[in-house]
């Protein structure tokens, strides 16, 4: 017999998600909170001061939605067959925040109409204070690898996450069997240009090319400029190095729009961009939020690294 949980999963998959799992709204294992507090205290969040707000909420979905009972966790595979090397793969597609949110709203409508009229829900995609990888891990979507990414043994870690917290009680899924999925592999640690990933699992955002090119405003420390190499926006090196991604299938969702014209942008082209050029190319992109000024800052560093100016 088909259960409500089966119907929810089928609905989510038919709207384009590659993975769906359910967990309770109970607090996330306190080891995560402990790790997070230690991480902040060590200043590894760089200038992302917003991460120090709502700490308790981040690890307790019930603080994000009163009377929360369940969390429906989803993942969208965004592996590109043609990675750019200069622009992080996720930014080659349309803005995933809107894409995922829209589909989670549709799922909420479905639940409201079919299952619970009095449905209360909260949608989280990236910006909400919810530890998304930890909750997705508990819902059985994958394990958190040494590269700090939620990794599914079959689909790899080119996965974007989104959650629907609801007051609907649902039967939770089990996490994957507990084992050392990365074993003694250290490819992501070796591949990280800035040395942000280490064996002790203490991620140093200040050394991450993604942080430096996307989140870090203002001047980039001199000693890190060469590490940026030709990365104009974000970095996929720790993902590309992961063996789980070698055999993973590419994104099969044709509705998730891919912009091939973003693949081979040159720093010297970006340096000449007007605001209109920028808007035309990145209107529907996570790059839009970062803005032209910061993209030009990155382009200047890349151009100098390549001795182009
Ligand atoms: C801040 C942030 C960043 C920062 C910091 C990254 C980081 N690793 O924390 C920066 C700007 C650098 C960044 C970069 C990227 N990000 Co980001 N980011 C986030 C955000 C908003 C919060 C992450 C966070 O809480 N960090 C806090 C620290 C403490 O996390 P952590 O050190 O990894 O530790 C956590 C776990 O790994 C685990 N853990 C680690 N060590 C240990 C040890 C013990 C003992 C235990 C129990 C647990 C544990 O517990 C911690 C808490 O859950 C999330 C969205 C969200 N709301 O969750 C997206 C998110 C993690 N990012 C995402 C993506 C796609 C990226 C990039 C790939 C983008 C790119 N290509 O440029 C890179 C990847 C860099 C990397 N290897 O982590 C996706 C990851 C999807 C996935 N498959 O996992 C997320 C989930 C957004 C989304 N909705 O899809 N990101």
């Amino acid at each position: 017999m088909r259960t409500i949980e089966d119907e929810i999963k089928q609905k989510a998959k038919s709207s384009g998600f590659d993975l769906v799992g359910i967990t309770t709204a109970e607090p996330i294992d306190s080891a995560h909170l402990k790790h997070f507090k230690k991480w902040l205290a060590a200043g590894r969040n760089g200038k992302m001061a917003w991460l120090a707000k709502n700490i308790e909420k981040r690890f307790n979905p019930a603080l994000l939605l009163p009377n929360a009972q369940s969390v429906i966790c989803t993942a969208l595979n965004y592996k590109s067959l043609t990675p750019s090397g200069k622009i992080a793969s996720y930014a080659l597609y349309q803005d995933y925040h809107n894409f995922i949110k829209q589909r989670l709203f549709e799922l909420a409508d479905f639940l409201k109409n079919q299952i619970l009229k009095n449905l209360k829900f909260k949608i989280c995609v990236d910006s909400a204070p919810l530890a998304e990888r930890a909750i997705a891990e508990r819902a059985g979507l994958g394990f958190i690898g040494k590269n700090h990414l939620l990794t599914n043994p079959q689909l790899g870690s080119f996965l974007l996450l989104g959650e629907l917290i609801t007051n609907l009680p649902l039967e939770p899924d089990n996490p994957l069997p507990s084992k050392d999925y990365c074993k003694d592999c250290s490819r992501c640690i070796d591949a990280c240009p800035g040395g942000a990933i280490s064996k002790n699992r203490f991620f140093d955002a200040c050394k991450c090319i993604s942080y430096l090119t996307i989140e870090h405003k203002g001047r980039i420390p001199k000693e890190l400029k060469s590490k940026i190499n030709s990365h104009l926006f974000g970095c996929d090196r720790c993902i590309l190095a992961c063996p789980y991604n070698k055999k993973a299938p590419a994104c099969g969702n044709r509705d998730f729009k891919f912009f091939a014209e973003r693949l081979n942008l040159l720093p010297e082209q970006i340096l000449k961009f007007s605001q209109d050029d920028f808007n035309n190319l990145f209107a529907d992109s996570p790059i839009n939020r970062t803005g032209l000024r910061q993209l030009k800052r990155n382009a200047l560093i890349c151009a100098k690294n390549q001795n182009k100016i």
Side-chain angles (χ1 to χ4, degrees):
M1 206 186 74
R2 277 170 63 83
T3 61
I4 298 176
E5 290 79 11
D6 291 337
E7 286 192 32
I8 292 173
K9 287 175 190 169
Q10 198 206 352
K11 171 73 188 152
K13 289 205 170 165
S14 71
S15 74
F17 291 113
D18 295 276
L19 295 170
V20 193
I22 295 170
T23 182
T24 67
E26 284 165 7
I28 293 168
D29 185 318
S30 61
H32 282 273
L33 174 62
K34 229 168 118 189
H35 174 83
F36 190 81
K37 284 183 174 167
K38 259 168 109 180
W39 186 74
L40 288 176
R44 298 290 164 93
N45 56 324
K47 290 185 180 171
M48 297 182 288
W50 45 273
L51 280 164
K53 292 182 189 153
N54 302 310
I55 297 181
E56 302 294 327
K57 278 188 185 168
R58 197 168 280 278
F59 298 91
N60 187 356
L63 296 178
L64 289 167
L65 179 81
N67 197 26
Q69 300 292 321
S70 318
V71 186
I72 303 171
C73 296
T74 60
L76 175 70
N77 173 11
Y78 71 102
K79 180 176 166 180
S80 155
L81 279 178
T82 47
S84 142
K86 298 175 200 151
I87 302 229
S89 292
Y90 81 97
L92 297 173
Y93 294 84
Q94 72 179 97
D95 191 328
Y96 73 92
H97 302 90
N98 302 334
F99 185 88
I100 293 180
K101 269 185 195 161
Q102 194 194 330
R103 278 149 184 83
L104 289 176
F105 273 112
E106 282 167 20
L107 185 61
D109 274 349
F110 168 81
L111 297 178
K112 226 176 184 154
N113 295 333
Q114 307 288 327
I115 303 167
L116 184 68
K117 258 208 176 88
N118 184 29
L119 185 89
K120 301 274 181 280
F121 66 91
K122 180 167 174 63
I123 285 170
C124 304
V125 185
D126 199 30
S127 50
L130 177 66
E132 294 186 85
R133 291 161 294 168
I135 198 100
E137 184 178 52
R138 197 174 74 187
L141 264 51
F143 62 91
I144 298 176
K146 279 187 192 160
N147 63 4
H148 294 254
L149 294 169
L150 191 279
T151 307
N152 176 277
Q154 284 78 41
L155 297 187
S157 53
F158 278 106
L159 295 172
L160 295 164
L161 308 180
E163 303 76 31
L164 184 79
I165 307 175
T166 118
N167 62 340
L168 176 68
L170 293 166
E171 190 59 40
D173 289 307
N174 289 322
L176 295 187
S178 168
K179 66 174 190 180
D180 184 3
Y181 287 89
C182 293
K183 296 200 181 123
D184 57 358
C185 177
S186 61
R187 287 180 176 88
C188 59
I189 297 173
D190 303 337
C192 176
I197 308 173
S198 58
K199 282 205 174 81
N200 67 11
R201 296 194 68 190
F202 235 72
F203 187 87
D204 193 346
C206 306
K207 294 179 177 167
C208 171
I209 304 304
S210 176
Y211 166 76
L212 291 168
T213 57
I214 303 171
E215 295 292 337
H216 181 88
K217 316 278 173 250
R219 290 175 74 88
I220 288 183
K222 207 172 160 196
E223 65 280 11
L224 290 169
K225 284 186 175 167
S226 63
K227 314 267 187 208
I228 287 178
N229 203 326
S230 56
H231 294 285
L232 287 163
F233 183 90
C235 173
D236 287 339
R237 297 272 284 271
C238 65
I239 320 180
L240 288 166
C242 176
Y244 284 101
N245 287 321
K246 303 268 186 264
K247 54 180 179 145
C251 169
N253 189 323
R254 284 168 187 238
D255 294 332
F256 192 39
K257 240 190 309 170
F258 182 84
F259 294 89
E261 58 272 35
R262 295 178 192 162
L263 272 170
N264 297 312
L265 286 168
L266 299 171
E268 50 278 33
Q269 258 175 301
I270 290 173
L271 287 170
K272 288 183 193 145
F273 269 6
S274 66
Q275 190 62 49
D276 279 348
D277 295 331
F278 178 83
N279 295 348
N280 288 337
L281 198 59
F282 299 122
D284 190 3
S285 160
I287 301 179
N288 198 15
R289 190 174 64 90
T290 300
L292 177 59
R293 206 176 138 160
Q294 200 168 308
L295 190 64
K296 282 196 174 179
R297 176 203 65 182
N298 299 344
L300 188 61
I301 294 171
C302 294
K304 284 188 180 162
N305 285 341
Q306 295 158 25
N307 293 322
K308 288 195 173 154
I309 52 172

